[in-house]
Amino acid sequence: GRLSSFIAQPGELFLGGERIKQFEHNFANYHGVDYAVAFNSATSALHAAVADWQPSDIASLISHLEEDTEQDFVFEALPTELAQQTFEYLEISLQKRLLNTLSIEQLRPILNTMSPDDRTALFEELPAAKVTQMLQLLSAEERAVALNLLGYPEQSIGRLMTPDYIA
């Protein structure tokens, strides 16, 4: 488009080129701030913005977004490992919705890295058919743990305890 033609002519390095640096400098001056950083996409900007955030803080940010589509966009734009860590901190209602919007490839690592007690709490809120579907995404080891925890009566101490411990 016109802006990208202005910033970087064909043959120039787009990232960090002299025109990019000048654009960032002019943009910062115009807005009365010391620095400005240009990104090639909203996803890249999001990655930079949350790079040093804790998963619980990202979950809080996502939960405060008003639109489901905004929540989905931010969550799906997170790097895989950060998405896995953040998922456990989301409210159960948002986790349930994401189970219906994320792909199997996105869900598999999330469910397999969840703590067993958090995963059990989520599974307790799902219809039996959905739990069966989600169990199929777990590794054999994680599926055995999940089935063991789900085998305890609801609200029993066995269902609430975590099998993770330090020996």
Side-chain angles (χ1 to χ4, degrees), residues 118-134:
D118 286 338
R119 187 175 52 222
T120 301
L122 172 60
F123 285 179
E124 285 178 335
E125 298 294 321
L126 301 175
K130 189 69 171 180
V131 173
T132 301
Q133 186 183 35
M134 296 297 104

Side-chain angles (χ1 to χ4, degrees), residues 75 84 87-100 102 107 110-128 130-132 134-135 137-138 146 149-150 154 159-160:
F75 185 82
Q84 292 169 0
F87 190 83
E88 288 188 59
Y89 291 98
L90 296 172
E91 297 167 8
I92 293 276
S93 59
L94 181 51
Q95 288 178 343
K96 288 170 56 176
R97 193 171 52 71
L98 286 171
L99 290 180
N100 293 316
L102 297 174
L107 284 174
I110 290 170
L111 293 173
N112 277 286
T113 57
M114 284 183 82
S115 67
D117 50 338
D118 286 338
R119 187 175 52 222
T120 301
L122 172 60
F123 285 179
E124 285 178 335
E125 298 294 321
L126 301 175
K130 189 69 171 180
V131 173
T132 301
M134 296 297 104
L135 287 169
L137 301 178
L138 298 176
L149 287 176
L150 289 169
E154 282 191 45
R159 189 117 177 218
L160 298 175

Side-chain angles (χ1 to χ4, degrees), residues 2 11 15 21 27 39 41-42 45 54 61 64 69 71 85-86 96 107-108 111 122 125 127 129 132 153 160 163 167:
R2 294 173 63 193
L15 180 63
K21 290 176 187 174
F27 190 88
F39 290 94
S41 71
Q54 294 297 315
L61 166 76
H64 283 90
T69 54
Q71 293 175 337
Q85 296 166 353
T86 301
K96 288 170 56 176
L107 284 174
R108 184 173 281 119
L111 293 173
L122 172 60
E125 298 294 321
T132 301
L160 298 175

Side-chain angles (χ1 to χ4, degrees), residues 4 12 29 33 40 74 79-81 88 94 107 119 121-122 136 145 147 158 160-161:
S4 61
E12 280 189 302
N29 285 340
V33 296
N40 67 346
V74 171
T80 303
E81 186 175 329
E88 288 188 59
L94 181 51
L107 284 174
R119 187 175 52 222
L122 172 60
Q136 298 307 310
V145 170
L147 288 170
L160 298 175
M161 70 180 182

